């Protein structure tokens, strides 16, 4: 591999899923994996195969499907984990087992309760076992950011001798400071005798808001793989953000002197897909993919950009997938024009049925909304594409809400071809609609999250609603979009109920992270 190429290792499907409430179904993971493949991510960490049968099936499905990215499964340094990972990756075009063990004094003493020599012995045994099952093995020193440099050098040297060809030094608890973390990476590479036989990687958490800074500092010190997630998703404060890492490398090649293979024009569409599936909205001021990332409010800034874009913009909006033009389609537009615009946005529908369903929804939206923006299409398609059979469907909704009166909702849903009606009151129109749905569904689930985001500007903007339901310690996220926020809310709740009925409820991943 070229010394100036940085490998992008995406762990949205594994570490990103450890965000409370971000659990994904197998089908959702596969959709994201396909988007990551299109983005040209080098390595996709698809999950933790031994964590549950569902995780195993997700890793296996992705390994069986994805051709252009290496598919990776996490495994603790124990035989059962490694064997299960290898089984899930058996049909991968390019597979990797990623095994890890803690190396910091606090973790070795209090969590593992092992002596340093015992930790090295267990790591070496695990790597050798993995290497016999898979040609590509990565080893991680969990809590590497707080590990002693002498011990890091010892265990890494023996890990490389055992067959690991990628060595990851994670800042597991987000404790590192950029210049200090860079020095750790630099010393390890200089002091480990066989360092030239491995690629050094970093995996930084964002507890102090320094995940991206620490990752880039490590790159300047010789790291050539960065582990990151779409939108910075991850447990606690999240991980290093893929879009920020990639665009920093692309924009500041003069300083960093490296490059990636990422097709940056697909960044925005991938970000929106992950946000829609996980129910984690992107804040407006988020770098690269936030709604305000390329907005200019100041008159001085606007004047400068109009005269010469680079006065206040260091990269173009189009380079990451933003489009300035509006969709000029209407009720009389045909499927071909609609499909062409979706393709320009990097959206591909898997079959004719999905295209037809999306086109019908587009026509319905065109009746309600004068101008349709690219963001509307993104939401429309996310709300349409699903591998789940729609058990419950909203037929009719009537809401009455007046000052001084208790809001009431009457709705009709179709279940298995049979229409059912219910009426309920609530503290507001949305609450009333949800109570009416529960009269019919009797799901027994608890509402954990209700989130509304305007997709575009203006009072005719679609509202995108996320609903998170919990039952028996398991969760599911439902999504809905409409110009009427109460209808969007009902759609989101019904989507969650349908997912629940299909068995998509998932437990929060209770696995160790790196």
């Amino acid at each position: 591999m070229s010394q100036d190429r940085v490998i992008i290792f995406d762990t949205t499907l594994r570490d990103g899923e450890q965000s409370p409430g971000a659990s994904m179904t197998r089908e959702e993971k596969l959709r994201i994996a396909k988007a990551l493949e299109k983005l040209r991510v080098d390595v996709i960490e698809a999950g933790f195969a031994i964590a549950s049968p569902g995780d195993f099936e997700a890793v296996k499905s992705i390994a069986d499907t994805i051709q252009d990215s290496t598919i990776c499964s996490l495994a603790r340094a124990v035989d059962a984990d490694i064997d299960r990972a290898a089984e899930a990756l058996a049909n991968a075009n390019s597979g990797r087992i990623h095994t890890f063990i803690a190396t910091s004094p606090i973790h070795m003493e209090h969590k593992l309760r092992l002596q340093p020599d015992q930790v090295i012995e267990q790591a070496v045994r695990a790597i050798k076992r993995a290497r016999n099952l898979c040609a590509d093995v990565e080893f991680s020193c969990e809590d590497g950011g707080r590990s002693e440099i002498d011990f890091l050098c010892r265990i890494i040297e023996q890990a490389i001798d055992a067959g690991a060809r990628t060595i990851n030094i994670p800042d597991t608890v987000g404790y590192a400071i950029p210049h200090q973390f860079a020095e750790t990476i630099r010393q390890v590479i200089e002091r480990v005798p066989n360092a030239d036989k491995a690629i050094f990687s970093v995996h930084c958490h964002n507890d102090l808001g320094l995940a991206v800074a620490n990752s880039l500092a490590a790159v300047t010190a010789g790291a050539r793989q960065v582990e990151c997630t779409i939108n910075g998703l991850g447990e606690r404060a999240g991980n290093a953000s893929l879009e920020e890492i990639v665009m920093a490398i692309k924009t500041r090649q003069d300083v960093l002197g490296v490059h990636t293979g990422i097709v940056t024009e697909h960044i925005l569409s991938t970000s929106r897909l992950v946000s829609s599936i996980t129910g984690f909205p992107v804040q407006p001021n988020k770098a690269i993919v936030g709604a305000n990332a390329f907005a200019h409010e100041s008159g001085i800034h606007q004047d400068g950009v109009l005269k010469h874009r680079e006065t206040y913009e260091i990269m173009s909006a189009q380079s990451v997938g933003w489009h300035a033009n509006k969709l000029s389609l209407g009720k009389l537009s045909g499927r071909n024009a609609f499909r062409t615009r979706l393709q320009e946005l990097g959206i591909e529908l898997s079959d004719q049925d999905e295209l037809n369903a999306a086109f019908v929804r587009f026509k319905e939206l065109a009746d309600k909304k004068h101008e349709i923006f690219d963001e509307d299409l993104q939401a429309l398609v996310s709300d349409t594409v699903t591998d789940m059979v729609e058990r419950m469907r909203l037929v009719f909704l009537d809401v009455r809400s007046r000052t001084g009166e208790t809001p009431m909702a009457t709705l009709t849903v179709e279940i298995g071809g049979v229409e059912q009606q219910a009426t309920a009151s609530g503290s507001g129109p949305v609450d009333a609609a949800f109570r009416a749905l529960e009269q019919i569904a009797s799901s027994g689930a608890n509402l954990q999250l209700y989130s509304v985001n305007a997709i575009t500007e203006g009072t005719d903007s679609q509202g995108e609603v996320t609903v998170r339901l919990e039952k028996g310690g398991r969760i599911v996220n439902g999504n809905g979009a409409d110009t009427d926020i109460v209808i969007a809310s009902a759609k989101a709740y019904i989507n969650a109920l349908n997912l629940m009925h299909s068995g998509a409820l998932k437990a929060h991943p209770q696995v160790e992270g790196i």
Side-chain angles (χ1 to χ4, degrees), residues 366-385:
D367 282 332
K368 302 175 184 177
K369 202 170 187 290
H370 178 65
E371 290 183 317
I372 296 179
F373 297 86
D374 293 341
E375 294 86 345
D376 291 310
L377 281 187
Q378 296 277 359
L380 182 150
V381 172
S382 293
D383 202 29
T384 301
V385 178

Side-chain angles (χ1 to χ4, degrees), residues 390 392-397 411-414 437 486-487 490-491 494:
E390 191 178 43
M392 180 185 290
R393 182 179 65 87
L394 181 65
V395 176
F396 169 82
L397 173 62
L411 54 78
T412 302
V413 297
E414 182 183 293
L437 285 169
V486 182
I487 293 176
K491 286 180 177 179
I494 290 172

